[in-house]
Amino acid sequence: QSVLTQPPSASGTPGQTVTISCSGSSSSVGSNYVYWYQHLPGMAPKLLIYRNNQRPSGVPDRFSGSKSGTSASLAISGLRSEDEADYYCAAWDDSLTIYVFGGGTKVTVL
Amino acid sequence: QVQLQQGGAGLLKPSETLSLTCTVYGESLEGYYWSWIRLSPGKGLEWIGEINHLGTTSYTPSLKSRVTMSMDTSKNQFSMDLRSVTAADTAVYYCARHMWRTPYFQYWGQGTLVAVSS
């Protein structure tokens, strides 16, 4: 069981907006930045969002992140077929003193 | 261009030791932390542990008794041993670069599929 809680799946049609939640605790999400990763089969995970809402260069602005209290969200707007992947949130946990991940959300483009 | 190249065997029997290496190209090991992370079927990503260029290590509690990480600065390489593997250790293992207490895993190895089966 993962320390951060994500819904196992989410879906949308092309062009729609899909939002994925990530729930943690006061010692993880509540105290530290949240990071989001995209994982495509056979590839290494790719950093999508850092420090809650910052995008590395090369990541489309269709991907956006936010955080409030002990929860964070990743929004994918203008959904495209190539966005079909698994998405993970991550944070440092001050109490456990480890890096923690969510269980992952599989996004399906209908 | 920073690249991480993983090496090591992918098929093990229960009770054997998993040994993986990660060679870093294009950058020194100094100034960063280097982690091992695994992706298990149905379980998602799990951080295993980290090491820095001084050899300082930190491990996730659930694996601490079975894992050892080391570094060879002459080869610009770091390694992980996971002892007494079971089927529950079947996963894709990745190495990755980041900063202390920051899960900004910018560079990753290609991944090594490890299967544990009798």
Side-chain angles (χ1 to χ4, degrees):
Chain A
Q1 189 172 353
S2 302
V3 175
L4 304 181
T5 301
Q6 296 180 234
S9 63
S11 62
T13 56
Q16 281 189 328
T17 296
V18 167
T19 302
I20 302 167
S21 62
C22 173
S23 178
S25 66
S26 57
S27 61
S28 58
V29 175
S31 304
N32 297 287
Y33 291 120
V34 175
Y35 297 71
W36 289 91
Y37 292 86
Q38 178 191 59
H39 184 240
L40 295 165
M43 307 284 288
K46 172 188 174 183
L47 180 67
L48 279 183
I49 298 288
Y50 67 98
R51 290 192 176 186
N52 302 333
N53 55 20
Q54 302 298 302
R55 282 185 307 276
S57 71
V59 174
D61 59 7
R62 302 186 295 103
F63 295 92
S64 62
S66 64
K67 190 185 96 167
S68 179
T70 58
S71 293
S73 295
L74 172 72
I76 310 171
S77 61
L79 195 65
R80 304 174 69 163
S81 58
E82 57 260 40
D83 299 333
E84 199 162 272
D86 294 325
Y87 293 83
Y88 295 89
C89 57
W92 171 258
D93 190 299
D94 292 329
S95 292
L96 299 174
T97 60
I98 61 172
Y99 304 93
V100 291
F101 289 94
T105 298
K106 183 176 185 59
V107 169
T108 302
V109 181
L110 302 170
Chain B
Q1 179 82 9
V2 178
Q3 292 185 1
L4 280 62
Q5 182 70 39
Q6 295 180 217
L11 183 58
L12 297 168
K13 291 181 168 52
S15 81
E16 290 185 336
T17 296
L18 167 64
S19 294
L20 297 174
T21 61
C22 185
T23 304
V24 180
Y25 298 96
E27 189 165 71
S28 166
L29 295 176
E30 288 187 38
Y32 294 100
Y33 279 71
W34 305 88
S35 276
W36 290 96
I37 297 164
R38 67 184 183 182
L39 177 60
S40 305
K43 290 178 64 177
L45 292 168
E46 180 182 20
W47 178 73
I48 300 170
E50 68 184 4
I51 188 169
N52 67 8
H53 74 282
L54 299 173
T56 303
T57 57
S58 177
Y59 305 127
T60 194
S62 63
L63 297 173
K64 187 174 183 177
S65 63
R66 297 195 289 131
V67 68
T68 302
M69 294 182 184
S70 59
M71 180 162 284
D72 186 340
T73 54
S74 68
K75 295 181 180 179
N76 224 44
Q77 179 182 89
F78 60 103
S79 304
M80 177 188 73
D81 286 340
L82 182 64
R83 298 174 292 279
S84 303
V85 297
T86 70
D89 295 311
T90 293
V92 178
Y93 287 74
Y94 296 96
C95 56
R97 187 200 87 171
H98 61 104
M99 303 292 287
W100 184 64
R101 296 196 171 184
T102 302
Y104 189 118
F105 301 108
Q106 182 179 13
Y107 297 105
W108 298 69
Q110 78 275 22
T112 301
L113 177 58
V114 174
V116 180
S117 175
S118 56

